[in-house]
Amino acid sequence: MAPPALAFPKGFGWGAATSAYQLEGAVNEDGRGPSVWDVFSHQPGRIRNGDTGDVAADHYHRYVEDLDIMKDLGLTSYRFSISWPRVLPTGRGTVNTKGVDFYHKLVDGLLERGIAPVVTLFHWDTPQALQELGGWENRDCAKWFADYAHTMFTALGDKVPTWLTLNEPKTVVDVGYTAGVHAPGKQDRSLANVVGHHLLLGHGLAVQALRAANGKGRIGAALSLSPTYPADSSPAASAAATTADAEENRRWLDPLLRGKYPQDWLDSQAADAPVRAAIKDGDLAVIGAHNDLLGVNYYGPTHVTGSGGRVMQHPTSQATWQEIYPDGLFDLLTRIKRDYGDIPVTITENGMATENALQDQDRITFLHDHLAAAHRSIQAGVKLESYHLWSLMDNFEWAEGYTQRWGIIHVDYASQRRTHKASADWYKTVIARNGV
Ligand code: FCB
């Protein structure tokens, strides 16, 4: 096999990512309780074509086949999420042993195949029983989340090397509580910002819980980050890009990695904004306690006009919100190093949606170009240790249902047959050569 043009460091982690509600199905089996996504997806008009995650890719039943697919690809890392209501059907209290057993089997199956588990604790599926108590609007939810995290650390702590607390709190705030397009479907920006603070507090309390459980794994969060650029050379666009950067990036990075909210973001909140009262003394010390690593989800950049509007300057994908710009990944990773220091970084998600095709040359180009940018960032000194493409296989893409296909493995939802796309064969070679 010819050596790659761009060789990655020895031991670089080659991975793929999924999440529980998008992949597992089996929503009423073995004692699982409902989450906000079960309720939301069954509300008429919420999801394209009325799709739900009831069956999804049926991973709960087919996980052994899926583990074998990962092994065949040569993955050395696999990022998945635990369904909170599968292990705690009402979100707290009695543990559902059968739910915990499923994750034991999954983790054991990964370890037997030489694949390192990267476990996300919250990929948006808040237990419905907790939602009825206010969910993340309720400050107590941070504590409930930490208790759930503690349960998982106790169960799996000796086998899991890497934990991620939250997946993309920004998306919950912007899409679940502002646009109302994701569960729980609210449209209230001031409430959304309170939710954002409670999510961060939940992260901090979960980090404390891992340390208290003497967990030996490392822990961090997976943030959706987007480098922001002025759309033109005007001073107004430049100022607007700084404001957008606060919303997109700094309001999440600064609390986690510096223990404070950015002053410009705080100043932009109204004097009577509920988030001001939600931030209590001591919270930021909890939120800003040491993280072992940072998970970066990168899908594209943000270009901002002088009036604060967003414009696209590069091609899109089947997901029309996506702007394809590989150099943005380099800019983002080097910026993290410059502004936040040498924290180990893992790319927890990166990928594109394509039409239903097995010959996905566009995805191969996308992955190649982003890996080249990742490689360049390593040359520039970024402590990038692994890469997880989104996604291992086609799955339930939230409000878009099954229309958008993000996998390198094709899923025929009628038969649940899995088939390699061209990108899967390509990625297998990348892994075997340790580079592109
Ligand atoms: C991210 C989500 C992930 C998936 C991709 C396409 O925002 O974390 O679950 O939906 O987008």
Side-chain angles (χ1 to χ4, degrees), residues 19 22 123-124 167-168 171 297 299 321 349 390 397-398 406:
S19 87
Q22 295 179 275
H123 203 122
W124 306 349
N167 177 68
E168 298 191 357
T171 309
N297 293 3
Y299 287 97
W321 50 263
E349 290 183 27
W390 184 275
E397 178 50 23
W398 310 114
W406 290 82

Side-chain angles (χ1 to χ4, degrees), residues 286-325:
V286 174
I287 295 167
H290 177 74
N291 280 216
D292 303 305
L293 80 168
L294 174 67
V296 172
N297 293 3
Y298 175 70
Y299 287 97
T302 302
H303 289 94
V304 194
T305 65
S307 57
R310 310 270 168 114
V311 289
M312 300 272 247
Q313 298 195 336
H314 299 95
T316 185
S317 74
Q318 191 195 18
T320 51
W321 50 263
Q322 182 168 31
E323 184 172 345
I324 300 176
Y325 184 57

Side-chain angles (χ1 to χ4, degrees), residues 79-101:
R79 175 182 179 228
F80 66 94
S81 80
I82 290 175
S83 160
W84 182 352
R86 195 180 287 290
V87 299
L88 288 161
T90 57
R92 52 190 181 146
T94 312
V95 174
N96 176 30
T97 319
K98 286 188 173 166
V100 177
D101 282 351

Side-chain angles (χ1 to χ4, degrees), residues 158-221:
D158 55 346
K159 311 197 253 202
V160 170
T162 308
W163 295 94
L164 298 164
T165 53
L166 311 173
N167 177 68
E168 298 191 357
K170 174 181 169 358
T171 309
V172 177
V173 167
D174 288 358
V175 190
Y177 280 87
T178 307
V181 171
H182 281 184
K186 302 208 175 178
Q187 293 177 306
D188 183 338
R189 188 65 190 172
S190 6
L191 186 66
N193 285 332
V194 171
V195 164
H197 181 69
H198 292 158
L199 282 161
L200 286 172
L201 185 61
H203 161 88
L205 293 175
V207 172
Q208 280 186 354
L210 180 72
R211 313 289 187 219
N214 280 324
K216 56 183 187 195
R218 301 178 310 156
I219 192 162

